[in-house]
Amino acid sequence: DSYPHPRGPMDATFLSSTHCVGIGRRALQQLRASLERETGAQASQYLQEAGFAGGGELYDAFGTWLQREYGLDDAADLDDRYLSEVFGRFFREMGWGELTATRLADAVLALDATEWAEAGEPGSSEYPSCHVTCGMLAEFLGRLSGQVTAVMQVECPSRGDARARFLAGAPETLGIVYDRMTQGMSYGEALGST
């Protein structure tokens, strides 16, 4: 069962018509590496801010794409049952990689990404490193839901995980999950006790 009437991949003019640009994965990864080298822990904040700034334009592009591909005039009309399929296709066509959405708890959505553009080489980082993505998805999902949304990365190929996994939810909920993780719980355990 798939969402009705997909029309085909994006054409060459889509990025420019939606105020988005295409850059190579290596450029994004090198930007992170350079900022980490020069600014240390502040790099994640700077990259997340850049992601927030771009998340609105990406959401606007998503709205344009949804209208063109599926005839939806408002992204809020997207049926939740098709969120994973539609996200997978949109983010893949935008060059970010495959993204699927799964509800982990009432207030938390998991976004799983394979071959994600921002993820560095396996084992290249001790911590999750897709900071631009966290900011971008927070702004994007906040606009989609009409609520303030936080995004936290809990798995990353850069630190040796098989996939990139982002948790999205209310800032208060993810704050509790983060606090529990700093006390030694896995994110699964932390979610189970929220």
Side-chain angles (χ1 to χ4, degrees):
D1 186 19
S2 66
Y3 211 73
H5 311 297
R7 289 186 173 71
M10 292 179 199
D11 62 25
T13 62
F14 183 79
L15 287 177
S16 63
S17 71
T18 58
H19 302 284
C20 293
V21 297
I23 65 168
R25 292 173 178 222
R26 300 256 318 138
L28 192 56
Q29 293 164 4
Q30 185 58 51
L31 176 62
R32 178 182 48 81
S34 296
L35 277 171
E36 285 175 347
R37 182 183 65 240
E38 297 299 320
T39 66
Q42 287 182 308
S44 63
Q45 178 184 344
Y46 297 147
L47 291 167
Q48 230 175 27
E49 288 175 10
F52 280 119
E57 288 175 323
L58 189 65
Y59 178 76
D60 292 343
F62 181 64
T64 299
W65 180 84
L66 271 177
Q67 203 289 320
R68 190 187 80 190
E69 296 299 309
Y70 297 103
L72 291 176
D73 292 327
D74 187 347
D77 293 336
L78 177 62
D79 189 321
D80 286 348
R81 294 178 298 163
Y82 302 107
L83 191 62
S84 191
E85 174 189 337
V86 173
F87 273 10
R89 186 165 168 239
F90 175 73
F91 283 97
R92 182 180 57 252
E93 289 184 19
M94 289 297 286
W96 283 96
E98 188 74 29
L99 186 72
T100 58
T102 308
R103 179 101 15 224
L104 285 187
D106 287 340
V108 178
L109 183 69
L111 300 158
D112 294 330
T114 56
E115 298 184 25
W116 197 244
E118 190 177 4
E121 294 297 317
S124 63
S125 180
E126 186 178 347
Y127 302 102
S129 60
C130 299
H131 310 300
V132 172
T133 301
C134 287
M136 177 185 72
L137 288 175
E139 181 66 19
F140 182 98
L141 293 169
R143 288 182 182 220
L144 183 62
S145 68
Q147 300 176 358
V148 175
T149 303
V151 172
M152 174 174 61
Q153 187 175 16
V154 294
E155 294 180 32
C156 186
S158 300
R159 69 170 196 188
D161 297 320
R163 64 182 174 196
R165 173 168 263 192
F166 305 92
L167 303 182
E172 301 79 22
T173 302
L174 291 189
I176 292 168
V177 172
Y178 179 79
D179 288 344
R180 289 176 178 165
M181 289 175 65
T182 63
Q183 296 170 11
M185 285 185 171
S186 70
Y187 68 86
E189 292 168 333
L191 284 169
S193 55
T194 56

